[in-house]
Amino acid sequence: MGMNMNDAASTTALAPKDYKSSVKPVWCPGCGDFSVLSAITKALAHMGLNPEDVAVVSGIGCSSRIPAYLNTYGFHGLHGRALPLATGLKVARPDLTVLVAGGDGDGFSIGGNHFLHACRRNIDLTYIVMDNQVYGMTKGQASPTTAPDWARSKMTPHGPGINPFHPLIIALGAGANFIARVSSHDPNGTAKTIVEAIRHPGFSFVHVLSPCVTYQPEQREWKKLVRPAPVEATSDAGRAARRLLTDDNLYLGVLYHGDRETYRPRFETTKVDPSQLEQEFII
Amino acid sequence: MTLDTTTGTPSSISIALIGSGGSGVMTAGSMLLDAAGRSHWYAYMTRSSGPQIRGGEAAALIRISNTPIESHDNRFDILLAIDWRNAERFAGEIPLDSDSLIVADPDGGDIPDKINAMGARCCELPMKALCKNITGGRPNMIALGAIASLVGLPEQSLIDVLTKVLKNKGEEVITSSTEAIQAGISACDSLPSCPSLNPPEPHAAKRLNITGNEAVGIGALRGGVRFVAAYPITPATEVLEWLAPMLDKVGGVLVQAEDELSSVNQIIGASFGGVPALTATSGPGLALMMESIGLAVAAEVPIVVVNVMRGGPSTGIPTKSEQTDLNIALYGLHGEAPHLVVAPTSVADCLFTTQWAVQLAEALQTAAIVLSDQSLGQTRAVLDRPADLALMERRNVPTKIGPDYKRYAVTPSGISPMALPGTTGGQYTADGLEHNEAGTPSSQAEDHLTQLDKRHTKLHGYNFGDHWADIEGEGDIAVITWGSSSGPVREALSQRHNKERNVRLICMRLLSPEQPEKMEAALEGVERILVVEQSHSGQFYRYLRAHYDLPAESKAFHRPGPLPIRPFEVHRELAEWE
């Protein structure tokens, strides 16, 4: 395990476009996810990572389509199950840089339990959630982050009527080691934060405000409303909790970075042949 | 007791030890099994217990033989009870007759009516009273000494086992236990005679003392598994608990997951990264995993899911066996998703079949479900060490990638080279969406048909060799069975010494993809078929009728768990055709 299949590391500098595939995105014109795609390629180019040494894992939803648009290794898996799949990959192949990407429905609803346990397990993964507060691919239903009075879905004609999920507070409570919020209207800022997230050891959570211009057109206004958090990043979980609990969901920046130890399995260097293990059963 | 046909003396003897919580019958049973193994007998032990998490009444059901054994006999020769508290619940599992002997402690209460009604002979062994003269003596060790002496086990083998099992408990415990065993041996003289076993035959080959769940673990490691994701569930947990420290030693890893959805996706991720991966579960967990197993099929990522079946539906009977996850294993994936379903035919075969499953999944880049069950997984047996499976082909992993590499390229075998992350130029996105040869999502009819054909071809065009079934004997009657039902059927057929007609036995190991041509050859000359399985609805019989040409006269003996199928039930079905 932990092998690197390259004969030699590439020495040629790579540009963002070198991380893009030729597959055309299915997204609507104006979708925030285009900008996140671009930010990821900028981040990878900035870090000079070989595309073959990066894997991007996703679930199901508009934003989860991202792996196919990249020239890295990718896995477009099941709805809600991107984090466990990425967990298995990163544990088995610690040499890879593993990013996980997806939306608010995928990550916080059907995949909610995995989100808690990925934060808790603190494996060295970077989780990028493009939050648009709606299920776009199924044409506009309320998601866990939708406002309670949002009454434009046929499925919940009076609005979901329940409080939205607050992913950053939950990530902090569950043990994520790096928590940031960015906005897709600023691809360079997003790229910079993604670089920080990848470099930070352990589980890094990047919450991206990424508008759905089709089902939540008011989100076009986000770019006017967002502003940098008025404080420096903290490694004090208590301060971060207080800040996040009073957050209006529009402050940007790195909001918490912890120093919790990363989960790393022990790989014994002296390996025993499996036939030796049968000795305990031999009469 | 099973008689040796040439000498008329017993070739096997069956013993049940029962007692309430803390009486130590399981310890005594395990030591009896181990001592029998060290004395060159074969042995087989299942355990039964009440619903309590710790303590509670328990039964150790043991059979000792000088030929290999894979099931319980029709009846028990000896039932020893340290006490009778709640013992009536075991009545169905411990059939007795007028030749059987009940050995009971007079201080242990009255024999329950259900057990008394079976008409066995009774005698007393004052285990508690005998302990009073031994400092630290325990009734279960008195019982062990008495039973071992009754069936003819040498004292030294008991002492050897005792010394090994209690080595960390100190000299005093070993001394008191030795004294208790010796007191049991002496007390045996006052008991009615009971046929003792034929002496064991000398053997050179190595034998193992192992459970089916542990054998699955060895098979997984022999097959090359180095990543396991785990979520505890009865009766599969021991597979995972055995593997955890062993994976450490071979340079692998086990991760405990938050649920079965996570464990199955973790193994998909690890295998995508190039590391052979496995998880183990039981019915409820398998049901949760089905969507993800379909992903492994569609994305062509090798994984192995060991399903140790228990009574269902829903939570069912977690601690007892049933062969009723066949339908979900074969048909539970949505869409058309050809995959492997294999089943071990004995405790020993848990090793071989798991290793085979890993190698097949790797070679064919698909999901394999291994259908073990509680009665294979949690049975401890002394058996001949299974041979190592000759190395087969491994996963097709390209080391150099050409400029026109396509992950899902159509090939004659249907198997395409699978680039691993880290390989320059091999980048692709594995996808549960239908895709074209390059892996790009596609809803085009042509791409769908091409990829369906490819995934079908790689399984249906593959030559699985002779391992698809164990075929034994000749005859115009055939018994077709699978999994843990193979044991009692084999036993039943081995007892047919005086019958004129021979019976052919087919124990299927490969259930999917189906092998109609091989079955046709195996059934040549067969006029009548008996199908044996442990399910209420006849899942296996219906599967056979759906996929295989069976002779006009076929019938099925199928009944649900939790009671094991007994050899006499197979005899009874065959007797109708004599």
Side-chain angles (χ1 to χ4, degrees):
Chain A
M1 291 170 73
M3 60 285 215
N4 188 327
M5 260 72 67
N6 293 333
D7 297 335
S10 167
T11 48
T12 324
L14 291 161
K17 66 172 172 43
D18 297 320
Y19 295 88
K20 281 206 172 118
S21 79
S22 56
V23 180
K24 190 175 170 289
V26 295
W27 300 322
C28 309
C31 176
D33 297 348
F34 283 104
S35 161
V36 180
L37 172 62
S38 165
I40 291 173
T41 62
K42 286 178 183 182
L44 297 177
H46 178 81
M47 295 178 76
L49 294 166
N50 293 322
E52 62 270 26
D53 296 332
V54 177
V56 182
V57 178
S58 71
I60 295 295
C62 298
S63 53
S64 290
R65 288 285 191 131
I66 241 171
Y69 309 145
L70 290 162
N71 181 33
T72 62
Y73 281 88
F75 207 126
H76 181 216
L78 293 184
H79 196 26
R81 314 294 165 224
L83 284 168
L85 198 146
T87 296
L89 177 59
K90 181 66 185 179
V91 170
R93 290 290 306 277
D95 57 308
L96 300 173
T97 298
V98 181
L99 309 184
V100 189
D104 38 306
D106 186 71
F108 308 143
S109 192
I110 189 168
N113 191 37
H114 306 309
F115 178 52
L116 297 180
H117 290 276
C119 292
R120 183 171 81 91
R121 200 174 275 122
N122 199 29
I123 285 174
D124 192 15
L125 296 171
T126 297
Y127 185 31
I128 301 165
V129 175
M130 288 152 263
D131 190 349
N132 57 12
Q133 305 174 349
V134 75
Y135 286 90
M137 188 157 268
T138 49
K139 309 212 185 299
Q141 294 79 31
S143 88
T145 49
T146 303
D149 58 352
W150 186 77
R152 290 210 301 275
S153 163
K154 286 180 189 165
M155 203 176 274
T156 50
H158 309 293
I162 48 178
N163 279 338
F165 189 91
H166 198 317
L168 288 82
I169 294 169
I170 288 163
L172 182 73
N177 217 27
F178 177 98
I179 298 170
R181 188 188 285 118
V182 295
S183 168
S184 67
H185 86 277
D186 175 17
N188 289 332
T190 300
K192 183 173 164 284
T193 304
I194 291 173
V195 170
E196 271 188 78
I198 293 172
R199 287 187 174 149
H200 196 85
F203 187 80
S204 299
F205 174 46
V206 180
H207 184 227
V208 190
L209 297 172
S210 180
C212 175
V213 294
T214 303
Y215 298 106
Q216 296 270 31
E218 303 81 355
Q219 291 174 350
R220 288 179 192 274
E221 301 303 308
W222 274 351
K223 62 174 178 261
K224 296 177 194 155
L225 301 171
V226 293
R227 65 271 183 203
V231 284
E232 290 291 297
T234 177
S235 56
D236 179 334
R239 286 181 61 200
R242 188 177 176 79
R243 183 180 298 165
L244 291 172
L245 282 164
T246 53
D247 188 308
D248 66 354
N249 208 33
L250 295 164
Y251 284 115
L252 307 181
V254 176
L255 302 166
Y256 174 72
H257 54 77
D259 53 6
R260 209 157 65 83
E261 200 179 337
T262 302
Y263 173 94
R264 276 195 198 89
R266 291 181 320 155
F267 291 112
E268 297 295 330
T269 43
T270 43
K271 294 178 190 175
V272 172
D273 187 84
S275 62
Q276 291 297 308
L277 306 179
E278 296 166 29
Q279 294 302 319
E280 66 167 295
F281 301 112
I282 292 175
I283 300 172
Chain B
M1 151 182 67
T2 307
L3 294 183
D4 186 303
T5 45
T6 50
T7 63
T9 53
S11 61
S12 93
I13 197 155
S14 297
I15 304 145
L17 305 177
I18 61 178
S20 58
S23 62
V25 291
M26 286 305 176
T27 306
S30 301
M31 289 170 68
L32 187 66
L33 180 100
D34 203 353
R38 283 158 185 263
S39 307
H40 308 291
W41 274 291
Y42 293 95
Y44 180 93
M45 180 176 96
T46 59
R47 44 180 64 205
S48 183
S49 53
Q52 300 86 344
I53 301 300
R54 272 191 81 89
E57 60 283 1
L61 309 175
I62 301 153
R63 189 175 179 203
I64 302 172
S65 168
N66 45 31
T67 54
I69 32 175
E70 294 172 11
S71 79
H72 278 305
D73 206 342
N74 293 317
R75 53 180 286 283
F76 281 81
D77 297 290
I78 302 168
L79 164 57
L80 181 143
I82 290 178
D83 66 71
W84 294 108
R85 201 174 307 150
N86 294 328
E88 65 278 0
R89 75 162 74 236
F90 299 125
E93 290 173 76
I94 309 173
L96 303 172
D97 59 25
S98 57
D99 289 331
S100 308
L101 179 66
I102 293 175
V103 182
D105 193 318
D107 295 335
D110 295 331
I111 303 179
D113 292 344
K114 272 189 186 171
I115 290 176
N116 218 2
M118 291 189 275
R121 298 175 292 151
C122 297
C123 67
E124 292 187 342
L125 178 67
M127 291 168 268
K128 285 200 182 70
L130 285 167
C131 283
K132 284 181 184 148
N133 306 322
I134 304 164
T135 315
R138 285 171 46 83
N140 66 332
M141 291 297 110
I142 305 268
L144 176 61
I147 291 294
S149 183
L150 265 181
V151 304
L153 273 179
E155 181 182 337
Q156 191 55 45
S157 65
L158 296 175
I159 306 299
D160 290 347
V161 171
L162 186 78
T163 315
K164 184 189 81 172
V165 173
L166 301 178
K167 69 170 183 283
N168 297 328
K169 302 229 168 172
E171 205 54 46
E172 280 177 28
V173 177
I174 293 178
T175 308
S176 63
S177 299
T178 306
E179 279 180 43
I181 285 174
Q182 283 162 343
I185 293 171
S186 307
C188 179
D189 295 340
S190 64
L191 300 179
S193 70
C194 183
S196 60
L197 270 172
N198 268 346
E201 285 161 26
H203 65 92
K206 280 182 181 161
R207 289 186 185 162
L208 307 180
N209 172 352
I210 195 168
T211 67
N213 279 344
E214 290 163 342
V216 162
I218 294 182
L221 296 181
R222 280 196 192 175
V225 167
R226 293 296 180 271
F227 181 92
V228 172
Y231 190 77
I233 186 167
T234 305
T237 307
E238 301 90 58
V239 173
L240 305 162
E241 289 184 332
W242 186 82
L243 277 167
M246 297 304 162
L247 280 160
D248 273 354
K249 293 182 184 171
V250 297
V253 65
L254 179 142
V255 178
Q256 183 173 333
E258 58 272 26
D259 55 31
E260 287 93 345
L261 303 168
S262 178
S263 52
V264 69
N265 279 283
Q266 285 191 30
I267 66 171
I268 295 171
S271 180
F272 171 72
V275 178
L278 169 147
T279 187
T281 189
S282 188
L286 181 68
L288 284 173
M289 291 180 187
M290 293 317 282
E291 184 196 16
S292 307
I293 294 172
L295 172 65
V297 172
E300 302 197 44
V301 179
I303 58 164
V304 178
V305 176
V306 177
N307 182 57
V308 187
M309 293 183 285
R310 65 193 217 184
S314 189
T315 312
I317 312 180
T319 56
K320 307 276 181 181
S321 211
E322 201 168 63
Q323 293 183 291
T324 42
D325 294 345
L326 179 63
N327 279 351
I328 187 175
L330 289 169
Y331 312 119
L333 301 176
H334 64 276
E336 292 182 301
H339 61 289
L340 297 159
V341 180
V342 296
T345 62
S346 67
V347 174
D349 193 48
C350 287
L351 195 164
F352 172 85
T353 296
T354 306
Q355 184 181 3
W356 193 45
V358 175
Q359 296 192 350
L360 288 176
E362 288 287 316
L364 297 171
Q365 296 177 25
T366 192
I369 300 174
V370 180
L371 287 178
S372 176
D373 63 26
Q374 185 273 337
S375 78
L376 295 172
Q378 294 190 325
T379 291
R380 177 165 290 286
V382 174
L383 43 86
D384 293 318
R385 181 178 177 274
D388 208 347
L389 178 59
L391 192 67
M392 307 192 328
E393 55 186 308
R394 313 295 292 187
R395 193 188 304 193
N396 181 342
V397 175
T399 45
K400 279 221 158 57
I401 303 282
D404 48 1
Y405 174 71
K406 288 179 177 165
R407 165 67 185 99
Y408 300 104
V410 173
T411 63
S413 67
I415 301 164
S416 332
M418 179 176 179
L420 301 183
T423 313
T424 309
Q427 294 99 301
Y428 73 100
T429 293
D431 209 318
L433 279 172
E434 190 56 284
H435 41 260
N436 61 19
E437 289 183 72
T440 306
S442 168
S443 54
Q444 297 298 306
E446 181 180 354
D447 289 327
H448 186 42
L449 179 60
T450 302
Q451 293 298 316
L452 284 171
D453 277 345
K454 167 182 164 24
R455 296 190 291 258
H456 180 271
T457 301
K458 68 179 181 174
L459 266 73
H460 287 263
Y462 186 80
N463 183 1
F464 292 88
D466 293 333
H467 299 315
W468 74 280
D470 290 340
I471 302 167
E472 294 155 24
E474 283 299 325
D476 56 7
I477 295 177
V479 181
I480 307 181
T481 189
W482 75 286
S484 62
S485 290
S486 305
V489 172
R490 246 187 209 123
E491 173 85 29
L493 300 191
S494 74
Q495 291 170 4
R496 287 174 54 86
H497 305 293
N498 306 319
K499 308 287 185 199
E500 283 179 15
R501 305 183 70 154
N502 291 323
V503 175
R504 197 176 301 185
L505 172 62
I506 300 172
C507 303
M508 289 183 68
R509 181 177 288 108
L510 178 65
L511 298 158
S512 176
E514 61 275 10
Q515 304 290 307
E517 284 156 20
K518 285 182 171 153
M519 181 66 93
E520 193 183 345
L523 289 177
E524 201 179 315
V526 167
E527 287 165 10
R528 287 188 282 203
I529 287 177
L530 171 65
V531 175
V532 180
E533 62 178 303
Q534 196 183 24
S535 84
H536 185 257
S537 66
Q539 294 185 16
F540 181 58
Y541 184 57
R542 287 160 190 260
Y543 153 81
L544 289 172
R545 293 297 299 262
H547 298 289
Y548 295 96
D549 284 331
L550 302 181
E553 195 167 353
S554 66
K555 66 173 177 177
F557 172 68
H558 56 91
R559 65 154 176 77
L563 295 179
I565 288 175
R566 303 270 180 200
F568 80 87
E569 294 176 292
V570 181
H571 277 302
R572 194 178 55 201
E573 296 298 321
L574 290 173
E576 292 176 13
W577 282 340
E578 300 290 351

